[in-house]
Amino acid sequence: MDVRYLEPSDLVYGHEAAATTGVPETVIRQWARRGRIRRFAGNGRPSGRGHLARTMYALPEIEALAAAYRPTPQRAPRAA
């Protein structure tokens, strides 16, 4: 997605994107670290979780990747 076509309302914090798409916030941060989506500087508004979030993501990019996202089941803990 080209940055020129993003609206200011398309930029959301990680927890907002996770609530909208159902993809965990840790996965969203992993996608950004690997270069699959872009990070943007926060706009300074309170995130609503008791602190200021500094990173925003483009919701259309996350929604495009979320369509193919399948959670990986975790291994059961071993008995001691």
Side-chain angles (χ1 to χ4, degrees):
M1 167 164 244
D2 196 356
V3 178
R4 293 177 291 177
Y5 300 117
L6 289 176
E7 297 289 327
S9 61
D10 289 337
L11 297 179
V12 295
Y13 292 117
H15 69 277
E16 295 170 341
T20 303
T21 60
V23 177
E25 191 173 350
T26 55
V27 174
I28 294 171
R29 288 194 308 261
Q30 185 77 11
W31 287 345
R33 189 169 64 220
R34 291 180 178 171
R36 296 181 76 186
I37 60 175
R38 286 182 291 260
R39 289 182 266 217
F40 298 93
N43 60 3
R45 67 182 167 99
S47 67
R49 297 179 74 187
H51 62 278
L52 295 177
R54 304 242 187 265
T55 306
M56 298 183 88
Y57 305 97
L59 189 58
E61 288 183 339
I62 295 172
E63 288 173 337
L65 289 175
Y69 172 74
R70 299 290 176 258
T72 303
Q74 297 301 307
R75 199 180 289 177
R78 279 191 219 179

